[in-house]
Amino acid sequence: MQLELSAEDQAFREEMREFFTMKFPQEIRDAVTAGRELTKEQIVESQQTLNAAGLAVPHWPEEWGGRGWSDLRRHLWNEEMQAAAVPLPLAFNANMIGPVLAHFGSQELKERFLPPTANLDIWWSQGFSEPDAGSDLASLRTTAVRDGDHFVVNGQKTWTTLGQYGDWIFTLVRTDPEVKKQAGISMLLIDMTSPGVEVRPIELIDGGHEVNEVWFTDVRVPADLLVGELNGGWTIAKFLLGNERVGVAPVGTTKRVLAQAKELAGAQLEDPFTRARFAELENELLSLELTALRVVAHSEGGEPHPASSVLKLKGTEIQQAVTELVLDLAGPAGLATGEGAGVPEWAHLAAPTYLNMRKASIYGGSNEIQRQIIARTILGL
Ligand SMILES: Cc1cc2nc3c(=O)[nH]c(=O)nc-3n(C[C@H](O)[C@H](O)[C@H](O)COP(=O)(O)OP(=O)(O)OC[C@H]3O[C@@H](n4cnc5c(N)ncnc54)[C@H](O)[C@@H]3O)c2cc1C
C-alpha cells in the first residue's frame, strides 16, 4: 500500500492547513481546544465561514456545492479541520440529509433545501430513534396517515441531538402498518415550528442538555415533503446510516486531544505507567489512522467499505480511553465542580467530558451492532 502523499496531495494538505489555521475565527478554535461547549451562533458562524470558502460540503454533488475531490482529499480536508480544532460541518446537514436530498429528493426539494442546508440557514435534526426502536430501527411506531394533500403525524422520537436548535427534522414514519416492517416506512421532512411539535429536554449525566424527546400530535405535513417514494424510507435510511458511520472515527481530534494531554501531564510523564498508557494510545491511533486510509482507498465511488465498522468501533474505544487518561491526569482536581472551583479549566472539564464521551459507543450504531457487522461481512462468521 502506497501511504506517502503525492506532491499535489501534499500541497492540497498544506492549503487546507493554511486556511484552517490562518483564516478561520480563532475564538471558535480556542473554544474547541479548551473543550468548551459551542453556542448555536458559533456553530452557525463556523459552518458559514467554511461554506463561503467552498469547504462545508465538498463531498456533495458539484451542482450543489461539492468540489469533486478524490476520497483521499476529502479525508485530508477532514483530518486537517480536526487537527486545527475547527468544528466539523453539522453532521445532520452536511453528512445526513444533504446527501439524501441530493440523491433521493425531487428537483423541487433539492432547490428549496440544499443551499440553506449547506449554509446552515436551516438547522436539521435527525428524527429516527424512538423508545424501542434504536438498534431495531425498523420497529418504529410514529405514524403518518394521508389526509388529502397532507400527512398527519403522531408519535414520539427520542435522543434527538440538539433538537432545541432544530428548524426542521427529517423523520422516519410508518406509512403502511400492514406490510413487513421495513416495507412500510417513509421519510418525511417536518418544520419544527408546525403546530403539534413539542421538543422536551433530556438531562444527561454530565449535566448538559444535548438530547431531547420530540413529540408529534396531529402534525399536518404537506405531502410534497415526502422524500423519495412512499414506503421507500428504509432504503433511504440505510443510505444515510452508511454515510453516518464513515465519518464517525475522529482520528484527527483524538490525536489533538492526546497531544494536548501530554503537555498537560507535566511531571506525571515521569511515571512509567503513565508513559506506557500514552505510548499504547499513540500506537493504537496510528493503526486507526492507517485503517482510515485503507477505508478511503477502498471506498472510491461513494460506497461505504465494511471496515468503516472497525473505524467506528476502535475510534470510539480510543476516544473514550483518551478522555479516561485525561481524567486520571486531573486526579482529585477532576472532582471539582462549579465555576471558579480554583482548578485549571481542563481539569474542571475532565469529568464531564469523560462522562459525556460514553455516548460515542452508542450513537451512530452501537458498538455491539458494529461487532456483528464485522463478524458477518468481514470475518464471514
Ligand atoms: C448521545 C446520543 C445522541 C443521539 N442522537 C440521535 C439523534 O440525533 N437522532 C436519532 O434518531 N437518534 C439519536 N441517537 C440514538 C442512537 O442512534 C441509538 O441510541 C442507538 O441506535 C442505540 O439504540 P437504543 O438506544 O434504542 O439502544 P438498544 O438498541 O435498545 O440497545 C441497548 C443495548 O443492547 C445492545 N443490543 C441491541 N441489539 C443488539 C443485538 N442485536 N445484538 C447485540 N447487542 C444488541 C446495544 O448495543 C446496547 O448496548 C442518539 C443516541 C445517543 C446516545
Side-chain angles (χ1 to χ4, degrees):
M1 184 169 59
Q2 169 64 270
L3 285 177
E4 211 156 290
L5 293 180
S6 68
E8 294 77 26
D9 287 331
Q10 186 57 34
F12 174 84
R13 185 196 271 280
E14 273 150 30
E15 185 195 322
M16 291 297 116
R17 188 168 298 173
E18 187 183 322
F19 180 84
F20 296 135
T21 55
M22 314 287 282
K23 303 198 176 124
F24 190 87
Q26 184 67 36
E27 195 191 316
I28 298 179
R29 292 177 57 216
D30 288 345
V32 173
T33 306
R36 285 178 220 130
E37 201 176 312
L38 297 181
T39 62
K40 176 181 182 181
E41 290 69 32
Q42 284 175 315
I43 297 173
V44 171
E45 182 188 347
S46 170
Q47 182 145 337
Q48 293 186 345
T49 306
L50 294 177
N51 199 37
L55 298 177
V57 292
H59 50 301
W60 287 14
E62 284 174 68
E63 193 187 348
W64 300 107
R67 301 289 298 271
W69 290 341
S70 64
D71 285 342
L72 176 63
R73 289 200 172 188
R74 274 155 47 180
H75 175 78
L76 295 173
W77 156 78
N78 194 295
E79 288 284 293
E80 288 301 324
M81 236 178 336
Q82 294 183 47
V86 167
L88 299 185
L90 188 71
F92 308 113
N93 285 42
N95 300 343
M96 297 186 189
I97 193 64
V100 160
L101 288 176
H103 199 270
F104 296 95
S106 62
Q107 187 62 19
E108 204 185 332
L109 287 181
K110 288 178 192 174
E111 284 170 14
R112 176 170 173 194
F113 286 111
L114 285 176
T117 297
N119 204 43
L120 199 41
D121 298 324
I122 293 178
W123 185 299
W124 286 96
S125 291
Q126 180 188 19
F128 279 20
S129 305
E130 298 182 9
D132 302 323
S135 302
D136 183 18
L137 185 57
S139 293
L140 62 92
R141 287 185 302 229
T142 295
T143 54
V145 177
R146 188 72 189 241
D147 178 22
D149 52 6
H150 283 74
F151 286 100
V152 179
V153 178
N154 279 285
Q156 180 202 350
K157 296 289 171 182
T158 192
W159 305 125
T160 313
T161 299
L162 301 180
Q164 67 269 39
Y165 300 153
D167 301 307
W168 283 74
I169 183 166
F170 50 93
T171 56
L172 293 177
V173 289
R174 185 155 304 285
T175 35
D176 187 346
E178 304 298 332
V179 291
K180 185 173 152 249
K181 56 187 184 178
Q182 284 83 356
I185 292 171
S186 302
M187 180 181 272
L188 268 189
L189 310 178
I190 303 181
D191 180 342
M192 291 178 81
T193 61
S194 312
V197 178
E198 192 195 341
V199 179
R200 298 184 194 167
I202 301 174
E203 194 184 328
L204 291 187
I205 193 171
D206 66 351
H209 170 198
E210 189 176 282
V211 288
N212 304 270
E213 295 175 342
V214 180
W215 294 74
F216 302 98
T217 312
D218 292 331
V219 179
R220 292 188 70 79
V221 181
D224 59 3
L225 292 172
L226 176 78
V227 183
E229 301 290 318
L230 185 69
N231 298 321
W234 192 245
T235 307
I236 305 179
K238 282 193 293 185
F239 173 91
L240 184 147
L241 294 172
N243 290 341
E244 184 182 47
R245 213 154 288 147
V246 170
V248 90
V251 179
T253 301
T254 311
K255 266 168 78 174
R256 178 170 50 72
V257 175
L258 190 61
Q260 254 172 274
K262 216 169 177 178
E263 281 178 24
L264 297 170
Q268 294 189 70
L269 270 186
E270 305 297 319
D271 170 34
F273 179 62
T274 305
R275 294 169 80 86
R277 277 177 82 183
F278 271 104
E280 194 177 331
L281 284 170
E282 282 175 359
N283 280 333
E284 292 234 33
L285 261 177
L286 187 60
S287 315
L288 186 69
E289 197 173 6
L290 294 178
T291 309
L293 280 168
R294 212 163 48 130
V295 171
V296 168
H298 289 87
S299 298
E300 217 51 76
E303 275 291 297
H305 187 266
S308 59
S309 288
V310 177
L311 283 183
K312 160 75 190 11
L313 179 62
K314 286 306 289 180
T316 51
E317 282 179 356
I318 298 172
Q319 206 179 1
Q320 292 179 335
V322 170
T323 61
E324 188 171 349
L325 174 60
V326 173
L327 182 60
D328 288 343
L329 291 173
L335 293 175
T337 56
E339 292 283 319
V343 300
E345 187 182 25
W346 72 268
H348 173 62
L349 290 175
T353 307
Y354 166 82
L355 291 171
N356 184 283
M357 213 31 76
R358 302 305 95 193
K359 69 188 179 188
S361 46
I362 302 172
Y363 64 47
S366 73
N367 282 5
E368 287 81 6
I369 299 294
Q370 302 310 322
R371 285 191 182 89
Q372 291 194 350
I373 296 173
I374 293 165
R376 220 179 28 247
T377 60
I378 302 180
L379 304 175
L381 297 173

